[in-house]
Amino acid sequence: MDLGLRGKVALVAAASKGLGRAVANELAAEGCRVVICARDADTLAKTAGEISAEHSAEVLPVAADVSSSAGIRALHATATAKYGPIDILVTNAGGPPSGKFEEIPLDEWERAFHLTLMSAVELAYLVLPAMKERKWGRILNITSIAAKQPVDNLMLSNSLRAAVTGFARTLANEVAPFGVTVNNLLPGYTLTDRVDQLTRASASKEGLPVSEVLARWEAQIPMKRLGEPREFAALAAFLASERASYITGQSIGVDGGWIRSLL
């Protein structure tokens, strides 16, 4: 299937590893010129080189912290100076710390606000004018299953992923007349560093082996296994494509059936 993405410019945040890397890799395979960012410049450069070599693709690594307005502006300026306007934006950021309400200091709320919500808002703010002018654009927000069904011990993520969902759903209606779609991708338990961290945190808190916590999570999933990043990335590439031009305002789980709601 030709997704019609050859030559498009994609910006994928937090893409040195995990889900962001998988999405960047998939878009590069479809012929996009890809800008990737993360805070660790060395890991980022290594990832860019590997994706470029695998797909003979143009991949630009830009070291940036998306929890910082200055970092976001510098990222956008570097990307557009190299490739021109952004066609596809994939917002993404490392998840905020786990914990229950009374365990979380107020300053952690502010950090999580900038990391999880404002990074998506500010990136969209920067790329939208050119998308509207050209009557084409794709904004994909990587959020979490927590946006539809709260996950125990993830107070910050549950709260702020829901905020991203409300922002994106409202924005989708505002920009639909300009040929711009806005959708959210909700990863479930997937084999990434973030899930490994959460597994170890839960195991430590409960005094259990990591393998037991992992088995408990797998038991909650109808498919009885964790997802692979490439399975998630396949949906991202489709939603970014010409084929998905009539799909907007949606929050779609890639979770092996974990979310129990009807909608």
Side-chain angles (χ1 to χ4, degrees):
M1 181 188 295
D2 182 3
L3 296 181
L5 292 176
R6 187 158 301 280
K8 298 290 189 186
V9 178
L11 193 165
V12 185
S16 63
K17 54 188 177 181
L19 296 177
R21 175 179 175 145
V23 171
N25 187 72
E26 195 78 9
L27 293 174
E30 292 295 330
C32 290
R33 292 174 289 169
V34 184
V35 181
I36 61 174
C37 81
R39 287 175 294 185
D40 186 329
D42 292 339
T43 303
L44 188 67
K46 182 173 183 290
T47 295
E50 290 171 351
I51 294 175
S52 179
E54 181 177 353
H55 302 294
S56 298
E58 292 186 60
V59 183
L60 175 66
V62 182
D65 180 357
V66 296
S67 68
S68 155
S69 292
I72 289 171
R73 290 193 300 271
L75 166 64
H76 179 259
T78 303
T80 54
K82 175 72 172 180
Y83 293 135
I86 305 300
D87 298 299
I88 300 160
L89 169 65
V90 182
T91 76
N92 184 33
S98 60
K100 296 181 178 179
F101 178 67
E102 292 180 314
E103 299 170 347
I104 301 168
L106 285 177
D107 59 352
E108 285 288 358
W109 281 91
E110 185 169 356
R111 279 193 286 271
F113 167 74
H114 287 287
L115 176 70
T116 306
L117 175 60
M118 288 309 298
S119 63
V121 170
E122 291 193 46
L123 282 166
Y125 186 85
L126 290 171
V127 304
L128 264 173
M131 288 182 176
K132 290 170 67 178
E133 181 179 346
R134 288 173 294 124
K135 298 291 192 291
W136 200 95
R138 302 285 185 265
I139 296 176
L140 304 175
N141 303 298
I142 298 178
T143 63
S144 166
I145 49 176
K148 283 197 174 184
Q149 183 174 313
V151 178
D152 290 346
N153 205 46
L154 292 185
M155 171 58 72
L156 291 173
S157 184
N158 292 343
S159 302
L160 291 160
R161 304 293 190 189
V164 173
T165 303
F167 155 68
R169 184 64 191 87
T170 308
L171 181 63
N173 285 357
E174 292 183 4
V175 300
F178 299 94
V180 179
T181 67
V182 184
N183 291 290
N184 300 318
L185 293 82
L186 283 57
Y189 291 106
T190 310
L191 292 167
T192 63
D193 289 346
R194 164 69 169 169
V195 166
D196 181 64
Q197 291 167 4
L198 292 175
T199 305
R200 293 181 184 282
S202 293
S204 176
K205 182 169 288 191
E206 298 177 44
L208 297 172
V210 169
S211 59
E212 187 171 329
V213 174
L214 189 60
R216 186 173 66 199
W217 288 355
E218 289 174 335
Q220 298 172 14
I221 303 167
M223 286 192 172
K224 303 304 178 189
R225 67 174 177 86
L226 273 65
E228 297 281 350
R230 62 178 177 79
E231 295 173 308
F232 178 86
L235 175 63
F238 176 72
L239 289 175
S241 75
E242 289 286 354
R243 297 294 186 104
S245 58
Y246 202 58
I247 301 173
T248 194
Q250 303 305 304
S251 292
I252 304 173
V254 186
D255 64 352
W258 185 87
I259 296 171
R260 302 299 184 183
S261 63
L262 295 176
L263 299 174

